[in-house]
Amino acid sequence: MILTVTLNTALDITYRVTSLRPHAEHRVSEVVERPGGKGVNVARVLAALGYGVTVTGFAGGPTGQVLRERLAGVPGITDALVPVAGPTRRTVAVVDQRTGDTTQLNEPGPHIGPAEWAAFLRAYDTLLADASAVALCGSLPPGVPVGAYAGLIRVARTAGVPVLLDTGGEPLRRGIAARPDIVKPNAAELAELTGSHEPARATRDARRRGAQAVVASLGADGLLAATPEGHWRATPPARLRGNPTGAGDAAVAGLLSGLVDGLPWPARLTRATALSAAAVLAPTAGEFDPADYTRLLAAATVTDEESAA
């Protein structure tokens, strides 16, 4: 089983409007609600690929109840969320159908008390016993220690479970020092961590900070990877228009499944790039069309950055 950790789960709400204009009234043509948060999106992609996935983190209040009800309807996903008193947050995405652009509004999440954090740590330790890999994803809700991911990485390493970390800011800085197997920052997170806006240099610098491998997601420019086996750039066949929300989470699912399957790095990156691109074409985060994925998998390219240099 693959374990995904989403400490700040969310109920994702997507509104579609013909054209989004500031200071104007809009008629919403479609509303979609999905269980969300980065690790939940990763889990949905993994489940769609046929992997057994367990989701843990926190859920609370009426919003958390709706999230769990929706999660129960996803085949292949086991709900191991820890209940809390505070309400699970909502995220609202407004999709402009004319341009394809998305505007995102993210609530902060519930405050997690010491007893609730301790309950999660007990659950996490138990779940690791059956995990083939674990993904630690997303922001930290209020009340969770800023070094939480570093501690969770150390627990997983002690249990012999490989770890992928996908977060930003201070949680990323502290987490990478705990030596996760893979870190997947986006371009902004990578620049904040290293102080460099040159992706190749920043990716190598991030790896020197402790991660065994760093895979930076660069939006339409694909993925850039610094690993023990080499340095590669993976790119989709063309720039795609659509909803980028969840594309990075799909890439995490590709990297994590490739790790579990023992794929060489170029094959992992090809899978991750194709899933990420397919997610851009999907209407909601955490979903992809298998036909798009198959087509993009055949067309994605991976180049050896060391040879190119």
Side-chain angles (χ1 to χ4, degrees), residues 1-6 39-40 43 46-47 51-57 71 76-81 123 127-128 130-131 133-135:
M1 157 285 270
I2 297 175
L3 178 64
T4 70
V5 174
T6 312
V40 174
L46 287 168
Y51 296 87
V53 193
T54 295
V55 170
T56 192
L71 201 59
I77 293 182
T78 299
D79 175 357
L81 294 167
L127 290 166
L128 283 175
D130 296 318
V134 58

Side-chain angles (χ1 to χ4, degrees), residues 296-308:
L296 292 163
L297 185 64
T301 59
V302 177
T303 57
D304 187 329
E305 288 290 285
E306 292 177 333
S307 298

Side-chain angles (χ1 to χ4, degrees), residues 35-63:
K38 293 181 72 65
V40 174
N41 292 336
V42 171
R44 278 211 305 274
V45 174
L46 287 168
L49 290 170
Y51 296 87
V53 193
T54 295
V55 170
T56 192
F58 298 110
T63 312

Side-chain angles (χ1 to χ4, degrees), residues 118-176:
F120 169 78
L121 292 176
R122 290 192 296 271
Y124 178 72
D125 191 59
T126 300
L127 290 166
L128 283 175
D130 296 318
S132 55
V134 58
L136 307 175
C137 302
S139 62
L140 302 178
V144 172
V146 70
Y149 283 138
L152 296 179
I153 291 165
R154 295 187 186 100
V155 172
R157 288 178 60 83
T158 299
V161 179
V163 187
L164 185 152
L165 176 64
D166 182 13
T167 189
E170 186 65 12
L172 172 60
R173 189 186 71 81
R174 296 198 186 194
I176 200 170

